[in-house]
Amino acid sequence: MKKTILLLLILVALTSCNEATEWKPQLIAYYAGDEKSIDEFDLNGVDQIIYSFLHLKGNELAVDNEADSLTLVNLVKQKKKYPNLKVLVSLGGWGGCETCSEVFSTAQGRIDFAVSTAKIIETFDADGIDLDWEYPAISGYPGHKYQPEDRENFTDLVVQLRNYMKQGDILSFAAGASTRFFENSVEWDKVMPLVDNVNLMTYDFFGSGSSKTGHHTALSSNAFQDRSAEASIKALIDLGINPKKIFIGGAFYIKTFKEVANVNNGLNQPAKWNRSYNQINFDSVRSNFNFYWDEQAQAPYAYDSINKIFATFDDPRSIKLKTEFALKNNLGGIMFWQLMNDKKQNGLLKTMVDTMNETTSEK
């Protein structure tokens, strides 16, 4: 295995030499919608769209049903309208990788997966795969198996994908933005030279397991919350990761907490989990909220003092700041979960695209 990794590293280094000076920030959209909805979005400015999700069937990557197949076909058709667009498939997601640890624990399982992935990419005329195994070697979805060996098995999974995918196919993975993930899930020095980028999930810092309120997708840390996009990105760079391979994550959904006391506008208060909203269905309740901005965390929040509900989210201001942060710090770009949570017109995607265009034109 070590010899295989070394040969692949040499190949990657040789093929990327000419690209080293051609950094262009990219915008990546995850898409978990149906066949037709994608036609309603303006994808100008989007570099990659990642279809979410495909799953394991035995040892192989599989398209779950006819509806998924038709959706993937129509996503690929978008490349005719948007010639620069790349379409990737994605494995797993939260709750979608139940057998990953078991399947990827054997050499044959990893090879079977790589062969089937290469076949799907070729069959659908897609451009690559994003691995969203949540998570190798650490606990993720309740009840899903994980074991220390997942870390090395993930490395060989990446090696086998490079062995069987065509040259030029895109290979990326979604990473949890936590110290636990950074230290236990990935052999960074071995994996990063073989992948195109890591999509850092700089969201869900607060959620259903939290006992108090906070910013679930803060750009910066504040006095009571050290987890943030900025801190997570710094941690990866400190591990030696090339910033140009790191994508900051935007959240196109709102998280809410209930039974929140009317203190400090609900921020940093004891609470119980309530529910999530997308950008559109939150509009139906937003009139009950007063909206605030945390200058230190560079994050918005809202509080409904009547129903004692606290909301945490990204908005146009925070998305603009995240996009600018990616560009100013020479990151690979920005990604987000997910397109179906956005407004069809004048949503957060448009803010990303406009900021990209404005900032890059100034350079």
Side-chain angles (χ1 to χ4, degrees):
M1 177 176 160
K2 290 182 178 178
K3 184 180 291 184
T4 304
I5 293 175
L6 178 60
L7 290 172
L8 281 169
L9 290 176
I10 293 171
L11 177 61
V12 170
L14 290 173
T15 55
S16 62
C17 283
N18 294 330
E19 300 173 6
T21 59
E22 299 178 5
W23 173 74
K24 176 188 175 296
Q26 294 197 327
L27 196 164
I28 298 176
Y30 282 87
Y31 179 76
D34 57 20
E35 176 191 1
K36 296 297 184 182
S37 294
I38 192 64
D39 296 324
E40 302 175 47
F41 290 94
D42 181 357
L43 300 181
N44 279 300
V46 177
D47 296 283
Q48 292 181 26
I49 190 159
I50 301 177
Y51 180 52
S52 310
F53 291 99
L54 304 188
H55 301 96
L56 287 171
K57 185 176 182 180
N59 288 357
E60 298 185 347
L61 183 68
V63 179
D64 291 334
N65 50 52
E66 184 180 3
D68 284 351
S69 179
L70 292 172
T71 302
L72 186 50
V73 167
N74 197 33
L75 282 176
V76 172
K77 283 182 180 179
Q78 303 300 314
K79 295 197 287 185
K80 295 179 180 178
K81 184 176 180 181
Y82 307 98
N84 295 322
L85 181 67
K86 303 294 185 183
V87 177
L88 280 67
V89 296
S90 186
L91 163 72
W94 184 249
C97 226
E98 182 176 3
T99 61
C100 285
S101 180
E102 179 180 353
V103 168
F104 299 146
S105 67
T106 69
Q108 191 60 54
R110 297 189 293 271
I111 290 171
D112 289 346
F113 176 81
V115 170
S116 63
T117 297
K119 183 177 180 181
I120 284 177
I121 292 171
E122 183 175 10
T123 299
F124 285 91
D125 194 27
D127 300 286
I129 184 170
D130 179 73
L131 300 172
D132 195 355
W133 175 1
E134 301 184 27
Y135 303 99
I138 62 174
S139 61
Y141 191 84
H144 284 194
K145 181 180 179 180
Y146 62 95
Q147 53 190 332
E149 294 80 7
D150 292 341
R151 188 169 186 253
E152 290 186 355
N153 293 337
F154 183 76
T155 300
D156 191 58
L157 179 67
V158 169
V159 169
Q160 297 307 327
L161 284 165
R162 278 296 180 215
N163 281 340
Y164 289 97
M165 289 164 60
K166 291 185 297 186
Q167 187 174 345
D169 283 348
I170 298 167
L171 175 56
S172 63
F173 67 97
S178 70
T179 301
R180 193 167 58 108
F181 183 94
F182 297 156
E183 293 180 350
N184 299 286
S185 294
V186 178
E187 295 182 292
W188 297 96
D189 58 332
K190 297 176 182 178
V191 167
M192 288 309 298
L194 301 177
V195 301
D196 294 278
N197 56 274
V198 52
N199 293 324
L200 190 56
M201 295 185 286
T202 48
Y203 36 72
D204 296 339
F205 295 141
F206 283 76
S208 58
S210 303
S211 59
K212 68 174 185 176
T213 61
H215 303 294
H216 96 84
T217 183
L219 174 56
S220 303
S221 302
N222 63 15
F224 67 87
Q225 177 179 340
D226 57 359
R227 293 187 68 191
S228 66
E230 190 172 2
S232 300
I233 290 164
K234 182 181 184 301
L236 280 188
I237 293 173
D238 288 346
L239 286 171
I241 310 306
N242 183 349
K244 293 181 175 63
K245 288 193 172 186
I246 301 172
F247 280 69
I248 192 172
F252 283 23
Y253 57 100
I254 296 94
K255 292 194 166 198
T256 63
F257 298 82
K258 61 185 178 180
E259 299 181 22
V260 182
N262 190 3
V263 178
N264 196 31
N265 300 318
L267 183 60
N268 192 28
Q269 301 302 311
K272 293 182 180 179
W273 170 248
N274 187 38
R275 57 165 292 184
S276 293
Y277 293 87
N278 63 32
Q279 292 291 324
I280 298 170
N281 60 28
F282 187 64
D283 285 347
S284 64
V285 298
R286 66 182 292 126
S287 61
N288 296 324
F289 286 86
N290 289 314
F291 290 79
Y292 307 94
W293 179 260
D294 184 333
E295 193 65 42
Q296 194 173 13
Q298 298 290 279
Y301 61 104
Y303 182 64
D304 172 358
S305 61
I306 298 173
N307 298 296
K308 294 187 167 36
I309 304 292
F310 176 88
T312 168
F313 46 88
D314 266 325
D315 68 358
R317 182 179 179 184
S318 65
I319 286 293
K320 180 178 174 65
L321 287 170
K322 282 185 176 180
T323 307
E324 290 174 342
F325 180 89
L327 299 173
K328 291 175 182 176
N329 290 278
N330 294 324
L331 302 186
I334 187 167
M335 65 85 175
F336 65 90
W337 178 266
Q338 57 108 355
L339 188 58
M340 284 299 291
N341 289 346
D342 200 18
K343 298 175 181 177
K344 301 291 173 49
Q345 296 180 343
N346 298 318
L348 295 180
L349 173 58
K350 186 175 188 302
T351 299
M352 280 186 181
V353 173
D354 289 348
T355 306
M356 280 271 209
N357 292 336
E358 291 166 6
T359 308
T360 53
S361 65
E362 292 172 359
K363 291 189 173 183

